């Protein structure tokens, strides 16, 4: 028995494929810096962009049109999720990419019906002689034929969709928990800074946040402190405001009507 088996061929081929993708990425960047391909053969060779992902550094192969939409989608998701730091950025990027894949899966399921229509699946329905086909019957027949003939593909995409959805929810949960902890720690630090600033101010002393290990500027702490006390005063004026604008009577009238 051979105790030192040779690595399987698929592994070697995959490594070679990845290396080839990287070479294509370098070649494409060089081409973009120049005038670009001019002959039909050259244009066909660079039809797919092999570009590295901006965050993960991995090579993604997409058509230029798809890459443009992908980048815009991920950028929008990253803006909405507002990650801070490498770990949060990784989770936010993972959510965006899983959401993109989920959209792809849904589109492919819908496209199966379109393919069925192109292939004439609805032509298998034949209305009675002299009768008109009810509106929408051909679409219903096409959907039914596709569901029957493409059941394995639909089931597989459904499985992929469920896994993708679970992965997306997992990343969301982890990101939100991490952001909540970060925001809570930020709020606690800011509260400490406010109290220490107030102490120094009441004693007539200058306050340096850096000496207490805070990254907040003195102006930021002062503004936060002023806003804090304005909110306290604002809460005390709620009753007066309601009386001035006759909101108390409106509330009573609404309660009676209910």
């Amino acid at each position: 028995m051979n105790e030192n088996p040779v690595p399987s061929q698929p592994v070697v081929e995959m490594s070679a494929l990845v290396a080839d993708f990287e070479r294509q990425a370098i070649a494409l960047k060089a081409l973009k810096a120049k005038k670009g391909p001019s002959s039909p053969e050259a244009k066909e060779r660079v039809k797919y962009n092999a570009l590295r992902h901006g965050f993960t550094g991995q090579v993604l192969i997409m058509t230029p049109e798809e890459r443009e939409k992908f980048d815009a989608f991920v950028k929008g998701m990253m803006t909405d999720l507002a990650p801070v730091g490498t770990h949060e950025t990784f989770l936010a990027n993972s959510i965006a990419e899983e959401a993109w894949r989920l959209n792809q899966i849904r589109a492919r399921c819908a496209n199966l019906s379109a393919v069925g229509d192109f292939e004439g699946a609805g032509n298998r329905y034949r209305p009675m002689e002299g009768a008109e086909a009810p509106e929408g019957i051909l679409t219903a027949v096409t959907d039914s034929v596709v569901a029957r003939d493409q059941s394995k593909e639909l089931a597989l995409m459904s499985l992929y969709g469920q896994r993708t959805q679970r992965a997306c929810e997992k990343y969301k949960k982890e990101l939100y928990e991490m952001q909540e902890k970060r925001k809570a720690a930020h709020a606690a630090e800011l509260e400490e800074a406010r109290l220490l600033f107030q102490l120094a101010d009441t004693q007539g002393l200058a306050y340096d946040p850096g000496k207490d290990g805070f990254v907040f500027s003195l102006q930021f702490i002062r503004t936060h402190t002023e806003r804090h006390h304005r909110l306290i005063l604002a809460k005390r004026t709620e009753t007066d405001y309601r009386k001035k604008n006759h909101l108390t009577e409106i509330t009573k009238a609404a309660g009676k009507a209910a």
Side-chain angles (χ1 to χ4, degrees), residues 52-66:
R52 289 193 178 277
H53 192 286
F55 174 69
T56 66
Q58 303 303 308
V59 175
L60 300 178
I61 302 178
M62 300 178 180
T63 63
E65 295 79 10
E66 188 178 20

Side-chain angles (χ1 to χ4, degrees), residues 144-161:
S144 299
V145 172
V146 169
R148 183 193 65 193
D149 296 347
Q150 305 292 339
S151 58
K152 290 184 179 180
E153 286 76 5
L154 289 170
L156 187 61
M157 282 188 280
S158 176
L159 180 62
Y160 287 161

Side-chain angles (χ1 to χ4, degrees), residues 23 27-28 57 82 90 119 132 134 139 180 203 212 216 241 247:
R23 286 193 297 271
L28 280 174
F90 163 75
E119 294 178 348
E132 292 185 2
T139 300
E180 285 298 321
Q203 294 175 345
D212 287 322
F216 313 116
Y241 180 83
L247 296 176

Side-chain angles (χ1 to χ4, degrees), residues 202-247:
T202 54
Q203 294 175 345
L205 302 174
Y207 181 63
D208 182 2
K211 290 183 178 180
D212 287 322
F214 297 119
V215 297
F216 313 116
S217 68
L218 180 60
Q219 182 58 43
F220 181 80
I221 296 173
R222 180 181 286 111
T223 301
H224 171 71
T225 302
E226 292 173 355
R227 182 172 182 270
H228 171 82
H229 290 285
R230 283 170 52 220
L231 285 172
I232 292 176
L233 293 174
K235 289 178 181 179
R236 294 174 181 173
T237 63
E238 283 192 297
T239 301
D240 294 338
Y241 180 83
R242 293 170 67 84
K243 288 180 179 179
K244 179 182 177 181
N245 292 278
H246 309 290
L247 296 176

Side-chain angles (χ1 to χ4, degrees), residues 5 12 87:
V12 176
H87 196 169

Side-chain angles (χ1 to χ4, degrees), residues 139-207:
T139 300
V141 171
T142 300
D143 291 342
S144 299
V145 172
V146 169
R148 183 193 65 193
D149 296 347
Q150 305 292 339
S151 58
K152 290 184 179 180
E153 286 76 5
L154 289 170
L156 187 61
M157 282 188 280
S158 176
L159 180 62
Y160 287 161
Q162 292 173 32
R163 290 177 179 174
T164 303
Q165 183 70 48
R166 285 196 297 267
C168 189
E169 294 301 326
K170 174 186 174 183
Y171 291 131
K172 279 184 182 179
K173 183 175 182 294
E174 189 174 349
L175 176 63
Y176 292 161
E177 288 176 353
M178 184 172 291
Q179 288 180 327
E180 285 298 321
K181 290 180 181 179
R182 172 173 55 80
K183 291 175 181 178
H186 178 274
E189 278 196 30
L190 188 55
E191 178 63 10
E192 290 179 4
R194 180 184 70 81
L195 294 172
L196 290 172
F197 166 74
Q198 288 182 178
L199 174 63
D201 189 65
T202 54
Q203 294 175 345
L205 302 174
Y207 181 63

